[in-house]
Amino acid sequence: MSKQSSGLSVAFLSFVYFVIAFSLSGCLEDPSSFESRQDELSANNSPPPDGAANPTTIEGQSFVEGYWGAINPLATDEQPSSSNPASSRQMIDVADNGNVFLSWTNTSSAPGEMLKVMRAEFDATNGYTWSDPNNSMFIPAGFTDDAMGTSFTVNRASADGYALWESGGNIKISEFMDAMNHFMGTAALPEAHVPQVLVDSTGKAHLVAQSHMMNGFGLDVSTRTAFSTWGAAVQLHRMGADAATAINLPNHFLKAVIDGQDNILAVWLEQQAEESRLMAATYNTTSNTWGTPEAIVDTVHSHGVNFSALVSIAITGVPSTARAHVALFQDDGTEKVILTADYDGTMWAHAERRDVQTATRMISSQASFATSD
């Protein structure tokens, strides 16, 4: 976190953590229909009648200077129960000035998604005060009912943020301006897949996405150059010579992260004919150029990776270095496996399995991890 903070000591900022709970008539991590949760409700906690409000209560608990505070309701978000609401993609992040952002996606039987954003500001008298997620000032500018693939990324350096969604064949980005206290502008970028906004330590924002190309695909990086303005995409081409040797990115399996030197590390799964490869490449944000892509593992040298069973990937950089770690979670229907591969800034080590399972000790969910100095 930045050592410049608005009225908050560095020591205070270093010990602010939040636990956020979504309590609906049961609000789940992944979208599922309202009906599928009926068995979890008691007879005395039946859902509201069709068309009635279906409240989601957002609750928070903070850890400040060594102590956990009380659990407090932060806001209530209501949707008609007839829309089969569910919440997912919950994100919480703290800006360098101490503001806390919470966002999530509401999915329903309607054709699109709804992105919800809340912000908490701190003052010494009242503590944290949270905004209303239904306040029109906190709805992204230009947001439409057909929005899909919604997400929100915090710019920690500036305490601003970027709402992203796909609509009408374009990627849309609206910016939350901390100084103005509301969303402004709607940038429209060309259609692409799995878009994600990344922000480096200086506050520079980048959009990473996959685009279609003849006999292959491109990995695109567009950098924000001014308010609601993004530069032309710099592409890394992954193409075969013809249709028989075309390179595909199955299930849009792409993940990117800012490394410890403020460059972009992208990792993706690609297929070419009968061969699968888990690939990586670094985008230099100073020279605006892609490095040479290299295989972490491939079909011949899989080191325990089952490409057809891969479910998710997580990447984290190491502060102040180009080193990075990749975690893979795979599930073939019989066994769940966690593997990692480490990058020393020059080359990738072989993937290694990290879980230890027995007949009574098995993985039940995915893993997450982080690094520290």
Side-chain angles (χ1 to χ4, degrees):
M1 292 184 179
S2 169
K3 295 186 183 301
Q4 284 78 37
S5 56
S6 57
L8 294 177
S9 69
V10 174
F12 178 85
L13 277 178
S14 298
F15 295 95
V16 177
Y17 301 91
F18 281 87
V19 174
I20 300 295
F22 286 68
S23 54
L24 183 70
S25 306
C27 204
L28 301 182
E29 174 70 20
D30 295 313
S32 62
S33 68
F34 188 84
E35 285 78 10
S36 69
R37 298 195 296 271
Q38 299 311 297
D39 291 341
E40 301 176 19
L41 306 177
S42 68
N44 296 323
N45 188 25
S46 59
D50 188 52
N54 191 57
T56 300
T57 300
I58 300 95
E59 298 177 333
Q61 185 176 19
S62 60
F63 181 87
V64 181
E65 294 185 335
Y67 296 94
W68 282 102
I71 297 175
N72 294 307
L74 307 181
T76 298
D77 182 29
E78 295 187 353
Q79 300 179 80
S81 60
S82 58
S83 66
N84 300 323
S87 297
S88 63
R89 302 179 208 146
Q90 295 92 344
M91 183 283 304
I92 187 167
D93 202 354
V94 183
D96 288 352
N97 69 352
N99 288 349
V100 182
F101 286 87
L102 169 67
S103 69
W104 68 97
T105 294
N106 282 341
T107 56
S108 68
S109 57
E113 301 174 347
M114 186 62 203
L115 178 65
K116 296 286 188 172
V117 179
M118 297 174 63
R119 183 190 62 179
E121 295 181 287
F122 181 85
D123 69 69
T125 301
N126 300 311
Y128 277 94
T129 301
W130 287 87
S131 62
D132 181 352
N134 299 303
N135 186 328
S136 61
M137 306 290 275
F138 282 78
I139 297 175
F143 199 87
T144 52
D145 292 340
D146 64 343
M148 297 295 292
T150 59
S151 65
F152 182 76
T153 302
V154 175
N155 187 327
R156 294 181 179 178
S158 65
D160 299 329
Y162 308 96
L164 178 150
W165 68 96
E166 301 172 58
S167 172
N170 292 105
I171 297 172
K172 304 287 184 68
I173 301 176
S174 180
E175 302 186 19
F176 181 85
M177 308 298 289
D178 179 66
M180 305 300 292
N181 201 37
H182 62 84
F183 278 97
M184 298 177 63
T186 309
L189 288 82
E191 181 181 16
H193 298 286
V194 286
Q196 51 190 301
V197 173
L198 304 175
V199 183
D200 66 24
S201 64
T202 69
K204 183 188 293 185
H206 310 273
L207 174 70
V208 181
Q210 173 214 349
S211 59
H212 285 297
M213 304 185 70
M214 182 69 69
N215 301 322
F217 62 91
L219 298 183
D220 303 352
V221 174
S222 300
T223 300
R224 180 184 181 274
T225 57
F227 168 70
S228 203
T229 304
W230 298 74
V234 179
Q235 288 190 326
L236 173 65
H237 297 169
R238 299 298 294 163
M239 298 184 295
D242 51 34
T245 58
I247 302 178
N248 301 307
L249 199 157
N251 301 317
H252 309 301
F253 200 97
L254 166 66
K255 195 76 172 178
V257 67
I258 298 288
D259 70 15
Q261 295 184 332
D262 277 339
N263 295 316
I264 298 171
L265 174 64
V267 177
W268 68 95
L269 176 64
E270 67 180 33
Q271 292 178 339
Q272 186 175 28
E274 300 301 318
E275 184 177 2
S276 295
R277 298 181 289 261
L278 187 68
M279 302 291 295
T282 298
Y283 179 84
N284 188 303
T285 57
T286 301
S287 63
N288 296 322
T289 56
W290 281 99
T292 302
E294 57 183 314
I296 302 175
V297 291
D298 56 34
T299 302
V300 177
H301 306 96
S302 66
H303 299 285
V305 175
N306 181 347
F307 294 101
S308 63
L310 283 178
V311 175
S312 66
I313 181 172
I315 316 173
T316 183
V318 178
S320 304
T321 76
R323 301 199 308 271
H325 307 282
V326 169
L328 303 171
F329 177 72
Q330 63 186 40
D331 183 357
D332 62 6
T334 302
E335 184 181 37
K336 297 178 176 65
V337 174
I338 297 172
L339 303 101
T340 64
D342 304 320
Y343 181 62
D344 65 5
T346 303
M347 62 184 297
W348 287 91
H350 294 160
E352 295 187 42
R353 183 168 176 172
R354 297 302 178 186
D355 59 283
V356 177
Q357 303 185 61
T358 66
T360 58
R361 184 173 181 266
M362 296 175 288
I363 297 174
S364 60
S365 61
Q366 300 184 38
S368 60
F369 66 102
T371 61
S372 63
D373 291 313

